[in-house]
Amino acid sequence: MKIVTCAIWIQDHRVFSARRAPGQKNAGLWEFPGGKTEPGESDAQGLEREMYEEFGVRGTAGAFLTESRYTYAPDADILLRAFLFTSEDTPCPTVHDRVAWVTKEELLSLPLSAADVPIAAAAAELL
């Protein structure tokens, strides 16, 4: 099972989300950005690194929010761990084709990656 982290980055009662670009797995679906934790990294360190690599933002991974287990294929079982995230930087996506700050209602109507659906329910409670 791969451990993957994602950022719940909230500003002004909106949460940050990103859409997977064409050519990527789950292309066209929205997600809470993040990525795999590398050997030797804590979840927080991995999330902070991924947010810098994918969006050019330096920020801080905070409290653990929730997690979701999902099997995309027989050999693609993930544990998605969501953490609150803060940054003062403006995100500039490098691997996603769209980003948005969405309201609770918008979040719950987005076509989300399957593993992100339970995370969205928990994030919506914070908005």
Side-chain angles (χ1 to χ4, degrees), residues 4 66-70 78-82 114-119:
V4 180
T66 190
E67 63 188 22
S68 168
R69 294 178 194 269
Y70 193 79
I78 69 163
L79 174 62
L80 181 60
R81 304 195 72 214
D116 288 77
V117 171
I119 305 291

Side-chain angles (χ1 to χ4, degrees), residues 1 6-7 11 21 27 30 37 40 43 47 57 74 85 90 101 105 109 113:
M1 176 181 303
C6 67
Q11 290 183 355
W30 290 81
T37 301
D43 287 341
L47 181 56
V57 298
F85 182 81
T90 300
W101 292 93
E105 293 76 21
S109 68
S113 294

Side-chain angles (χ1 to χ4, degrees), residues 1-126:
M1 176 181 303
K2 291 181 191 175
I3 296 176
V4 180
T5 58
C6 67
I8 306 303
W9 185 9
I10 297 172
Q11 290 183 355
D12 300 321
H13 305 289
R14 294 175 183 264
V15 66
F16 183 72
S17 58
R19 188 173 72 179
R20 305 282 296 183
Q24 294 184 335
K25 288 182 182 178
N26 297 318
L29 296 178
W30 290 81
E31 67 180 359
F32 297 106
K36 290 180 261 182
T37 301
E38 299 293 337
E41 286 182 325
S42 67
D43 287 341
Q45 290 168 327
L47 181 56
E48 291 166 2
R49 176 187 48 76
E50 287 283 349
M51 291 299 287
Y52 182 73
E53 289 175 1
E54 294 184 2
F55 299 97
V57 298
R58 295 204 183 273
T60 303
F64 170 78
L65 179 62
T66 190
E67 63 188 22
S68 168
R69 294 178 194 269
Y70 193 79
T71 301
Y72 280 100
D75 61 343
D77 195 25
I78 69 163
L79 174 62
L80 181 60
R81 304 195 72 214
F83 292 85
L84 298 180
F85 182 81
T86 57
S87 176
E88 298 299 319
D89 295 345
T90 300
C92 182
T94 59
V95 296
H96 294 83
D97 68 347
R98 285 188 60 199
V99 297
W101 292 93
V102 298
T103 65
K104 177 180 183 175
E105 293 76 21
E106 292 166 332
L107 173 62
L108 297 175
S109 68
L110 285 176
L112 294 166
S113 294
D116 288 77
V117 171
I119 305 291
E125 292 182 22
L126 302 177

